[in-house]
């Protein structure tokens, strides 16, 4: 039975936060009778475990642990048993249960959930970046971006930006319009970060007509005029040549295909 001098040792081959939360929740049921909770994170050697067991034996202690590396987990259990110390495995039973129902083997990687959380927050940050710097809203994003997408209207800049953001890339996209000088920032950064998108005039004409239809506007609008489209494409080609960036024809490409090309180029692949 735990008394006022009782200590709970939290042992983990990762940060040990999960085990500590469980231990504190359990200890709270005893009205403060547990005097201390000691967390020992990132345990990677048997000698460390041996020292913890020796210290725990000198007190009225239990060991609560989240060890996923089988060799260290087994060593801790054997040492605790030999010294008559109560030990509680927080994750083991759940891991075993999942293995039983899935017939799969765990990867035994300490701290994997924290790594997954970091990936998640990187993705969220990249998506927020893509929204903030979509359609040339703020040219300051150009120098902060991992990728800059250029192109005339309806070349799928925004959906491509969002797709790449889901790959944890910070993307800014800039519309190219003959009457508007592009941000000077695109000429100040490496052309390796910039990708131009182009499409066939007929495809753009069809897409823009559909856009006008959706907005309840006339097909006669300059936006879908073929001469206007040719003018825009000619202007965008000159800008892209001036920058010296790769140009991708998206006429018959899905977003995934275009993104794949960009990722391959960024990795230095052909």
């Amino acid at each position: 039975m735990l008394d006022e001098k009782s200590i709970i040792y939290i042992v983990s081959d990762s940060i040990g936060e999960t085990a500590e939360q469980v231990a504190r929740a359990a200890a709270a049921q005893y009205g403060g009778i547990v005097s201390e909770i000691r967390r020992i994170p990132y345990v990677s050697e048997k000698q460390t475990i041996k020292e913890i067991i020796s210290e725990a034996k000198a007190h009225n202690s239990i060991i609560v642990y989240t060890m996923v590396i089988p060799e260290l987990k087994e060593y801790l259990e054997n040492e605790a048993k030999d010294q008559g110390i109560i030990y509680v495995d927080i994750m083991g039973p759940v891991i075993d249960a999942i293995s039983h129902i899935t017939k799969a083997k765990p990867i035994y990687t300490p701290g994997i959930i924290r790594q997954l959380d970091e990936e998640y927050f990187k993705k969220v940050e990249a998506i927020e970046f893509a929204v903030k710097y979509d359609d040339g809203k703020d040219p300051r994003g150009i120098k902060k971006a991992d990728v800059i997408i250029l192109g005339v209207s309806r070349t799928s800049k925004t959906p491509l930006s969002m797709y790449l953001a889901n790959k944890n890339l910070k993307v800014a996209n800039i519309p190219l319009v003959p009457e508007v000088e592009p941000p000077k920032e695109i000429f100040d950064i490496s052309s390796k970060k910039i990708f131009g998108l182009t499409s066939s005039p007929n495809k753009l004409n069809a897409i823009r007509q559909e856009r006008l239809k959706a907005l309840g506007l006339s097909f006669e609008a300059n936006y879908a005029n073929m001469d206007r489209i040719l003018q825009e494409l000619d202007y965008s080609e000159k800008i892209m040549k001036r920058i010296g960036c790769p140009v991708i024809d998206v006429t018959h490409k899905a977003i995934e295909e275009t993104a794949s090309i960009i990722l391959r180029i960024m990795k230095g692949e052909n």
Side-chain angles (χ1 to χ4, degrees), residues 91-102:
M91 289 214 309
V94 180
I95 290 175
D96 292 343
I98 294 173
S99 290
H100 179 74
I101 64 170
T102 63

Side-chain angles (χ1 to χ4, degrees), residues 102-201:
T102 63
K103 310 303 179 188
K105 293 185 66 175
I107 59 177
Y108 297 122
T109 302
I112 189 68
I113 190 169
R114 190 162 295 276
Q115 294 173 29
L116 293 173
D117 285 346
E118 287 174 1
E119 284 297 304
Y120 170 76
F121 287 117
K122 283 180 183 177
K123 183 178 294 186
V124 170
E125 184 181 2
I127 291 171
E128 290 176 345
F129 187 96
V131 171
K132 183 176 181 179
Y133 297 109
D134 178 49
D135 206 32
K137 290 175 185 173
D138 187 347
R140 291 175 297 180
I142 292 172
K143 291 188 176 181
K144 301 175 185 176
D146 300 314
V147 179
I148 297 93
I149 305 295
L150 306 177
V152 301
S153 177
R154 300 291 116 185
T155 48
S156 301
K157 296 185 300 300
T158 296
L160 176 61
S161 296
M162 297 306 297
Y163 185 91
L164 290 171
N166 275 278
K167 301 292 183 182
N168 295 352
L169 290 172
K170 294 180 179 178
V171 186
N173 75 74
I174 309 295
L176 295 179
V177 184
E179 293 79 13
V180 180
E181 185 70 19
K184 60 181 178 59
E185 287 85 353
I186 65 172
F187 303 107
D188 297 334
I189 63 172
S190 171
S191 61
K192 293 180 180 179
K193 294 172 61 175
I194 304 174
F195 295 86
L197 305 183
T198 190
S199 184
S200 75

Side-chain angles (χ1 to χ4, degrees), residues 151-157 197-212 223-226 228-234 236 249-251:
V152 301
S153 177
R154 300 291 116 185
T155 48
S156 301
K157 296 185 300 300
L197 305 183
T198 190
S199 184
S200 75
N202 290 333
K203 179 69 178 289
L204 284 175
N205 177 255
I207 293 174
R208 290 186 179 191
Q209 285 190 1
E210 285 299 316
R211 178 62 175 164
L212 290 173
Y223 180 67
N225 180 276
M226 185 60 78
R228 170 63 184 185
I229 291 171
L230 290 171
Q231 180 190 6
E232 289 183 24
L233 288 172
D234 181 62
S236 68
D249 188 338
V250 300
T251 304

